[in-house]
């Protein structure tokens, strides 16, 4: 697999482009057709987050009064403050519940919008095909499903958390500055000395946290990829269960899965080791933060300059300022995971952009009433030439059979006609008419048989009688009763049945031009002859370009073209 694209986002970050690209990925939603609801929800969440900061400040003042009441043994004040606490707590609970609820609502709406946009982009410009062929990115399914989910939830959580911590920092810094007083050090008076203590404490802690935990970004990126590769390998086994079973390939597949899981295992152990060192530090840092303000403020308390309530208020304010200054420390693992998610999404989006901006080397357009291939060259990734300056014209109504040795470029020529082959030169002019491609292995979507039969159109496109007719014509009468049955039809039907279903699809669609790539390879000659004749009889004037090896196909194609030495050569038709 080409790993350059995978790490392009990391390199971009080094060049200072990472946040610019993340910003470009983040902002479109907030300017989209949903911007009204999005901003309303975001403002509501921000307001509730700021309310929670206000409640924390409220509690800080309560701590002072409560501990002073305890020190003074003022029972009336004690019970009044208990009731006061219940009121503050009730407001805090309601705010927390709705902050979470509205945040989740905003997250799923943002995720839905991003997912739809990525669906459209992935399926547009043949990105889903070209990215797989070129090996530009791994597991696009995971990037659209899991990574977009993690991106939206983590971005909101981290962004709103950062805003909340900034507001909290300002609020409690003012309180801490006011209650901490000043201290004389070597003849210098330091005002608000508790504030400077917590600042130094948090800066040193943040720096050490980054030194210890910075490997987590790359390790999290790799873990997501290894987990997705393992899931994909298991899906491959499910999709090819019959072939594996007939080969008795279970030991081989077991080794492959174990190898995939081995990567998950070893990478996770690396994450565990880094996380263990990071947790040792952060847990010690947080524990020390509990006692540190008492140690620093104790001289003033024992000197009688402050009372117990003020000491507890200093401790509470110090804890909040320290927590705000230390947001980077507490959120480091979340930041590392978010960064890995962004890297994967950015590399995926960059790969799609590269494919979209790549100028087509073969000029394929739909115009006129004939199929014209002019000066066409088709190249493989290793530089080998399949076709060189090939020319061909197929007139409307002709039926042409393409043949040649295996690997000569027959199927590749059809891929080029279908806008799927990027390497080469020359031009292809497809007729501007209704057309359909029938590949060797038909695609049958999971769903009802009616939907599989009418694909890519909707299942209710044709009347019921048409479905029954084409199934019976294509020797599939036993499937008529199952038209509305939902199933995984590529597993349920034999290869021959799948190809007959593809012919039934062609009869339904009734194209003017039909391009077939060994579309009868899994049929016997009797079925093949019956289906070709049905196409000719039921779709008058149908133009056909078929790739095939069997001599039995020749009688349905008055014209034969063979690929020889990289050229398209017309063959003499024998009676």
């Amino acid at each position: 697999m080409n790993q350059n694209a995978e790490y392009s986002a990391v390199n971009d970050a080094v060049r200072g482009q990472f946040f610019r690209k993340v910003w470009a990925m983040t902002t479109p939603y907030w300017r989209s057709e949903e911007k009204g609801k999005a901003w309303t929800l975001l403002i509501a969440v921000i307001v509730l987050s700021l309310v929670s900061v206000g409640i924390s400040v409220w509690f800080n003042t309560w701590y002072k009064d409560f501990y002073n009441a305890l020190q003074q043994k003022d029972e009336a004040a004690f019970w009044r403050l208990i009731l006061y606490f219940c009121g503050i707590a009730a407001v805090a609970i309601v705010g927390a519940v709705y902050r979470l609820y509205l945040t989740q609502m905003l997250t799923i709406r943002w995720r839905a919008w991003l997912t739809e946009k990525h669906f459209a982009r992935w399926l547009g410009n043949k990105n889903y095909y070209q990215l797989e062929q070129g090996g530009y990115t791994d597991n696009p399914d995971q990037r659209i499903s899991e990574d977009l989910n993690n991106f939206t939830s983590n971005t909101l959580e981290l962004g709103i958390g950062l805003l909340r911590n900034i507001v909290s920092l300002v609020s409690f810094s003012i309180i801490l500055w006011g209650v901490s007083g000043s201290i004389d050090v070597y003849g210098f008076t330091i005002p608000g000395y508790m504030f400077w203590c917590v600042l130094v404490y948090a800066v040193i802690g943040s720096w050490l946290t980054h030194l210890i935990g910075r490997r987590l970004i790359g390790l999290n990126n790799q873990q997501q990829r290894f987990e997705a590769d393992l899931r994909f390998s298991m899906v491959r086994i499910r999709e090819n269960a019959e072939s594996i079973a007939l080969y008795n390939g279970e030991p081989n597949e077991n080794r492959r899965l174990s190898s995939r899981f081995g990567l998950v295992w070893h990478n996770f152990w690396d994450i565990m080791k880094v996380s263990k060192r990071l947790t040792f530090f952060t847990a010690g840092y947080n524990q020390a933060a509990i006692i540190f303000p008492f140690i620093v403020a104790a001289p003033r308390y024992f000197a009688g300059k402050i009372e117990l309530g003020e000491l507890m208020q200093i401790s509470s304010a110090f804890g909040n300022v320290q927590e705000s200054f230390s947001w980077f420390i507490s959120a480091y693992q979340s930041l590392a995971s978010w960064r890995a998610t962004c890297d994967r999404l950015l590399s995926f989006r960059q790969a799609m952009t590269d494919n979209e901006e790549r100028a087509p080397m073969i000029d394929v357009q739909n115009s006129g009433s004939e199929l014209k291939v002019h000066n066409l060259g088709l190249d493989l990734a290793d530089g080998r030439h399949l076709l060189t300056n090939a020319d061909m014209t197929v007139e409307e109504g002709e039926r042409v059979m393409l043949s040649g040795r295996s690997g000569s470029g027959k199927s590749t020529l059809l891929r080029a006609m279908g806008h799927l082959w990027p390497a080469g030169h020359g031009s292809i002019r497809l007729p501007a008419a209704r057309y359909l491609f029938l590949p060797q292995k038909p695609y049958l979507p999971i769903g009802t048989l009616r939907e599989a039969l009418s694909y890519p159109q909707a299942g209710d496109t044709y009347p019921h009688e048409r479905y029954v007719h084409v199934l019976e014509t294509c020797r599939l009468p036993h499937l008529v009763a199952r038209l509305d049955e939902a199933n995984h039809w590529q597993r349920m039907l034999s290869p021959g049945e799948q190809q007959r279903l593809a012919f039934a699809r062609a009869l339904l669609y009734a194209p003017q031009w039909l391009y077939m790539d060994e579309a009868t390879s899994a049929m016997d000659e009797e079925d093949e002859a019956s289906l070709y004749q049905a196409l000719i009889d039921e779709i008058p004037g149908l133009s056909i370009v078929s790739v095939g090896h069997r001599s039995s196909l020749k009688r349905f194609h008055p014209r034969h073209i063979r690929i020889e030495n990289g050229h398209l050569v017309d063959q003499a038709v024998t009676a």
Side-chain angles (χ1 to χ4, degrees):
M1 179 182 294
N2 183 351
Q3 297 295 328
N4 292 331
E6 181 63 37
Y7 297 107
S8 64
V10 178
N11 294 331
D12 286 340
V14 175
R15 296 193 298 269
Q17 299 180 11
F18 173 77
F19 287 105
R20 178 178 61 81
K21 290 192 173 184
V22 172
W23 182 258
M25 180 168 59
T26 303
T27 53
Y29 174 67
W30 307 96
R31 299 193 299 263
S32 70
E33 65 283 357
E34 290 202 9
K35 62 183 178 182
K37 293 180 180 178
W39 281 105
T40 300
L41 286 171
L42 180 62
I43 291 171
V45 170
I46 291 174
V47 168
L48 289 173
S49 297
L50 298 183
V51 167
S52 71
V53 174
I55 291 172
S56 297
V57 173
W58 203 356
F59 271 125
N60 183 263
T61 303
W62 180 87
Y63 277 127
K64 174 186 175 181
D65 296 335
F66 183 73
Y67 282 102
N68 281 337
L70 287 177
Q71 186 180 29
Q72 297 165 9
K73 297 183 174 56
D74 187 343
E75 184 176 0
F78 171 82
W79 289 112
R80 185 178 68 254
L81 288 167
I82 290 293
L83 292 175
Y84 191 31
F85 173 85
C86 292
I88 301 173
V91 175
I93 291 170
V94 172
V97 168
Y98 278 95
R99 184 174 73 251
L100 174 63
Y101 177 74
L102 294 178
T103 300
Q104 290 176 333
M105 184 185 298
L106 178 57
T107 300
I108 193 60
R109 294 184 71 90
W110 188 11
R111 179 190 176 187
W113 188 88
L114 275 175
T115 299
E116 290 297 330
K117 296 300 180 184
H118 280 75
F119 278 160
R121 191 174 177 191
W122 183 49
L123 294 173
N125 295 289
K126 310 293 184 186
N127 276 320
Y128 65 95
Y129 177 83
Q130 299 295 350
L131 266 57
E132 288 294 321
Q133 300 305 308
Y136 299 107
T137 55
D138 61 86
N139 306 296
D141 51 314
Q142 184 214 22
R143 301 188 189 221
I144 294 176
S145 60
E146 292 186 21
D147 288 343
L148 282 179
N149 180 33
N150 292 335
F151 172 74
T152 53
S153 58
N154 289 344
T155 300
L156 284 174
E157 178 183 349
L158 292 170
I160 294 173
L162 177 59
L163 176 63
R164 182 183 183 279
N165 274 275
I166 291 173
V167 175
S168 178
L169 174 62
V170 173
S171 302
F172 282 101
S173 293
I174 295 172
I175 295 173
L176 185 61
W177 185 281
V179 299
S180 62
S182 60
I183 190 171
D184 292 326
V185 179
Y186 299 111
F188 292 96
T189 300
I190 303 176
Y193 77 98
M194 292 290 292
F195 173 81
W196 300 113
C197 289
V198 72
L199 176 61
V200 172
Y201 187 81
V203 168
I204 293 175
S206 298
W207 176 64
L208 291 175
T209 297
H210 179 62
L211 287 182
I212 296 169
R214 58 187 172 184
R215 284 189 61 212
L216 283 175
I217 295 172
L219 289 172
N220 276 320
N221 197 327
Q222 289 188 136
Q223 190 69 15
Q224 291 178 8
R225 186 172 76 250
F226 293 153
E227 294 279 7
D229 287 344
L230 176 62
R231 287 194 299 272
F232 182 72
S233 296
M234 290 189 285
V235 170
R236 286 276 296 165
I237 293 174
R238 289 170 51 202
E239 294 291 337
N240 298 277
E242 182 177 330
S243 298
I244 293 170
L246 291 173
Y247 276 120
N248 292 318
E250 295 85 0
N252 186 291
E253 295 301 326
N254 195 1
R255 286 194 298 272
R256 291 174 183 272
L257 290 179
S258 296
S259 175
R260 293 283 192 188
F261 184 72
L263 296 174
V264 173
W265 167 275
H266 291 297
N267 194 76
F268 190 73
W269 269 101
D270 289 339
I271 292 176
M272 287 172 56
K273 293 173 184 176
V274 177
S275 297
K276 181 180 72 173
R277 293 194 293 268
L278 184 62
T279 304
F280 262 124
F281 175 75
T282 55
Y285 174 88
N286 289 327
Q287 290 299 318
I290 296 174
I291 201 69
F292 186 74
F294 290 105
I295 294 173
V296 177
R300 296 187 69 221
Y301 175 71
F302 289 118
K305 294 182 179 180
I306 56 175
E307 296 183 348
L308 177 62
E310 291 170 307
L311 177 65
M312 298 308 297
Q313 186 181 26
I314 288 173
S315 172
S316 174
F318 183 97
N320 280 280
V321 173
Q322 177 267 331
E323 182 181 346
S324 299
F325 269 132
S326 305
W327 177 82
F328 179 76
I329 297 174
S330 59
Y332 193 86
Q333 295 201 38
S334 297
L335 284 168
S337 177
W338 175 81
R339 169 63 187 273
T341 296
C342 290
D343 285 344
R344 290 176 58 77
L345 283 173
L346 290 177
S347 63
F348 176 48
R349 289 162 63 91
Q350 186 61 50
M352 291 194 290
T353 298
D354 291 344
N355 180 58
E356 292 160 359
E357 294 178 350
R358 187 182 296 114
M361 301 173 68
I362 302 172
D363 180 20
V364 183
Q365 297 183 28
N366 294 73
S367 63
S369 60
E370 297 177 331
L371 169 62
K372 294 183 178 181
V373 174
H374 177 63
N375 194 33
L376 182 66
L378 297 178
D379 303 328
L380 296 176
D382 59 8
R384 185 161 57 93
H385 302 298
L386 292 177
L387 288 183
T388 305
N389 301 327
D391 292 283
M392 177 180 71
T393 299
V394 179
E395 296 181 358
E396 186 177 10
E398 276 196 287
R399 299 195 302 275
V400 178
M401 177 179 170
L402 282 173
S403 61
R405 297 183 61 183
S406 179
S408 61
K410 305 181 299 298
S411 297
T412 304
L413 176 57
L414 256 66
R415 292 190 186 102
M417 293 179 183
H419 304 263
L420 299 181
W421 197 259
H425 64 269
S427 66
I428 299 175
R429 293 294 178 267
L430 298 172
R434 186 179 175 88
Y435 68 90
L436 184 68
F437 281 83
L438 293 189
Q440 183 176 7
K441 185 177 181 181
Y443 171 66
L444 305 178
I446 298 174
T448 66
L449 183 61
R450 190 186 303 273
E451 291 170 335
L453 190 55
S454 61
Y455 186 85
Q457 298 172 299
D460 58 357
T461 304
Y462 305 99
H464 179 74
E465 294 75 17
R466 284 290 295 153
Y467 292 98
V468 174
H469 172 72
V470 297
L471 285 176
E472 291 177 344
T473 301
C474 294
R475 301 190 168 193
L476 296 168
H478 56 287
L479 295 180
V480 170
R482 305 177 70 181
L483 272 168
D484 294 312
E485 177 184 332
N487 219 318
H488 193 328
W489 295 104
Q490 278 185 261
R491 290 184 183 176
M492 297 293 296
L493 303 179
S494 69
E497 287 177 315
Q498 291 180 41
Q499 288 189 341
R500 278 182 275 160
L501 197 67
F503 270 77
R505 181 184 289 165
L507 289 176
L508 270 181
Y509 192 70
Q512 296 168 271
W513 284 77
L514 187 61
Y515 306 92
M516 295 191 284
D517 184 9
E518 299 193 52
T520 59
S521 59
M523 300 183 201
D524 57 44
E525 292 188 5
E526 182 181 346
D527 282 341
E528 178 184 76
S530 174
L531 295 184
Y532 262 96
Q533 194 61 53
L535 287 175
I536 295 170
D537 293 342
E538 297 208 10
I539 311 177
L542 175 65
S543 306
I544 298 177
V545 178
S546 294
V547 169
H549 289 286
R550 291 179 178 175
S551 58
S552 57
L553 287 174
K554 291 183 177 179
R555 65 189 176 108
F556 299 104
H557 302 84
R559 183 181 174 192
H560 306 153
I561 297 178
R562 184 173 178 83
I563 298 180
E564 292 183 355
N565 300 320
H567 296 280
L568 296 170
V569 181
D570 270 281
Q571 303 288 294
V573 179
T574 57

